Amino acid sequence: MRVFGIDCGTEITGFGVVDSDDTGRVPRLVCKAMGAIRMKKALTTAERLLQVFQELDAQLARWNPDAVAIEEVFYSVNAKSALKLGQVRGVALMAAASHGILVAEYAPLKIKSSVVGYGLAKKEQMQFMVARLLELTELPEPADVADALAVAICHIHTAQTIAAQEVGR
Amino acid sequence: MRVFGIDCGTEITGFGVVDSDDTGRVPRLVCKAMGAIRMKKALTTAERLLQVFQELDAQLARWNPDAVAIEEVFYSVNAKSALKLGQVRGVALMAAASHGILVAEYAPLKIKSSVVGYGLAKKEQMQFMVARLLELTELPEPADVADALAVAICHIHTAQTIAAQEVGR
């Protein structure tokens, strides 16, 4: 299974591609790609959104994932920030739909629990655990990239749990 | 000048195409097209956003406007609504950018003042004045379509005012 994780932001949108190799007894996670899309400040908002779309579109075409995983939004932000974030998120969701890929959404608490083991993990702990689970030699930077990889890992863990429960029935 | 107005909503997104014919002494406004994109409830959020994008993309390709005009968002809504609206708006802005068309944004008060003459106009007054300015035989329905035509008219009025000021210098 190949999962494309996206972490939308109003300045940087992180993405990461994680494969789960299920041939062994313990599924192994492999990071195939990661990156950060930094919106160019010289562009208008509409052009920045096009930039995010075009980069995600190219990555989705290149990696052809089975699913896209994205964080559910955190409503503690104010309406102005939510609108700006929503604009980026809309473009990301649409990019997935344009490739016919289903999108799974996970709450921040669920993602942290799935990766670090508890829901109140800090940014550095997330980066450390993502690097460890994916056997990366360096911490994924910026944190947006680690978050994108984390939501992809969360989706793989969730899918494996569901599969295991179905076998157990 | 041809302006494509868009009124984004979480259920219905209205659009309208308005031409301003400047050959006479008094510029005449002509409505070339209008419509409402109703998000299909059976679709996922990502698929709905793709639906909005594809319909706007097709209309922009068909009408080839000089500018896209869109309402600035009203921050009195809560963060959850702002996020949902932002997702649609992101896709609409991106559609304009993908055609290389500049986007002009106008505050609701400015749009109402420009169309009805005062900023606190009600929905029915807006529909009535839009119909009158564009010499439509029926009121544009739903109100989202009237709002899309209104923001297009606002852009034309604003561009004419700027042009007149430049001539007067």
Side-chain angles (χ1 to χ4, degrees):
Chain A
M1 175 192 242
R2 173 168 290 174
V3 183
F4 191 98
I6 306 178
D7 183 73
C8 293
T10 52
E11 293 180 2
I12 298 175
T13 290
F15 66 87
V17 183
V18 180
D19 278 6
S20 104
D21 173 1
D22 302 325
T23 50
R25 275 194 57 195
V26 177
R28 197 168 148 245
L29 300 178
V30 181
C31 175
K32 304 297 287 185
M34 62 175 120
I37 305 168
R38 290 164 205 272
M39 286 176 159
K40 291 178 191 147
K41 290 190 179 155
L43 301 178
T44 65
T45 301
E47 288 166 343
R48 286 179 198 179
L49 294 167
L50 180 63
Q51 182 205 345
V52 171
F53 173 77
Q54 288 175 334
E55 296 201 28
L56 288 177
D57 181 57
Q59 294 294 339
L60 289 168
R62 178 170 178 195
W63 298 104
N64 192 27
D66 300 302
V68 164
I70 192 165
E71 191 176 289
E72 267 176 21
V73 175
F74 203 34
Y75 293 120
S76 70
V77 296
N78 65 40
K80 191 167 180 173
S81 305
L83 182 92
K84 281 186 155 186
L85 183 58
Q87 291 181 170
V88 180
R89 205 166 185 270
V91 163
L93 293 174
M94 199 214 94
S98 75
H99 286 266
I101 306 167
L102 278 181
V103 179
E105 297 185 64
Y106 296 97
L109 203 76
K110 163 93 180 159
I111 300 169
K112 288 180 177 175
S113 303
S114 175
V115 172
V116 181
Y118 67 109
L120 299 173
K122 289 188 182 155
K123 200 191 279 186
E124 296 74 22
Q125 293 173 298
M126 287 283 282
Q127 287 175 294
F128 178 80
M129 278 305 294
V130 163
R132 191 157 165 184
L133 288 168
L134 299 175
E135 301 172 22
L136 305 175
T137 51
E138 289 181 15
L139 294 187
E141 291 281 358
D144 316 74
V145 175
D147 288 344
L149 291 167
V151 69
I153 294 169
C154 174
H155 182 70
I156 291 171
H157 285 171
T158 306
Q160 283 167 349
T161 307
I162 293 169
Q165 283 168 343
E166 284 173 352
V167 167
R169 266 183 198 160
Chain B
M1 173 191 246
R2 173 167 291 174
V3 183
F4 191 98
I6 306 178
D7 183 72
C8 293
T10 52
E11 293 180 4
I12 298 175
T13 290
F15 66 87
V17 182
V18 181
D19 277 8
S20 105
D21 173 2
D22 301 326
T23 50
R25 273 194 58 194
V26 177
R28 199 171 145 241
L29 300 178
V30 181
C31 175
K32 303 298 285 185
M34 62 175 120
I37 305 168
R38 289 164 206 270
M39 286 177 160
K40 290 178 191 147
K41 290 190 180 156
L43 301 179
T44 63
T45 301
E47 288 165 343
R48 286 180 198 179
L49 293 167
L50 180 62
Q51 182 204 347
V52 171
F53 173 77
Q54 288 174 335
E55 297 202 29
L56 288 177
D57 181 57
Q59 295 293 338
L60 290 168
R62 177 169 179 196
W63 298 104
N64 192 26
D66 300 303
V68 164
I70 193 165
E71 192 177 288
E72 270 176 19
V73 174
F74 204 33
Y75 293 119
S76 70
V77 295
N78 65 39
K80 191 168 179 174
S81 306
L83 182 92
K84 281 186 154 187
L85 183 59
Q87 292 182 169
V88 179
R89 206 166 184 272
V91 163
L93 293 173
M94 200 215 94
S98 74
H99 286 266
I101 306 166
L102 278 181
V103 179
E105 298 184 65
Y106 296 97
L109 203 77
K110 163 91 180 161
I111 300 169
K112 289 180 177 176
S113 303
S114 175
V115 172
V116 182
Y118 65 110
L120 300 173
K122 290 188 181 154
K123 199 192 278 188
E124 296 73 22
Q125 294 173 297
M126 287 284 282
Q127 286 175 295
F128 178 80
M129 280 304 295
V130 164
R132 190 156 167 185
L133 289 168
L134 299 176
E135 301 172 23
L136 305 175
T137 52
E138 289 180 16
L139 294 188
E141 291 281 358
D144 316 73
V145 175
D147 288 345
L149 291 167
V151 68
I153 294 169
C154 174
H155 183 70
I156 291 171
H157 285 172
T158 306
Q160 283 166 350
T161 308
I162 293 168
Q165 283 168 344
E166 283 174 354
V167 167
R169 266 181 199 162

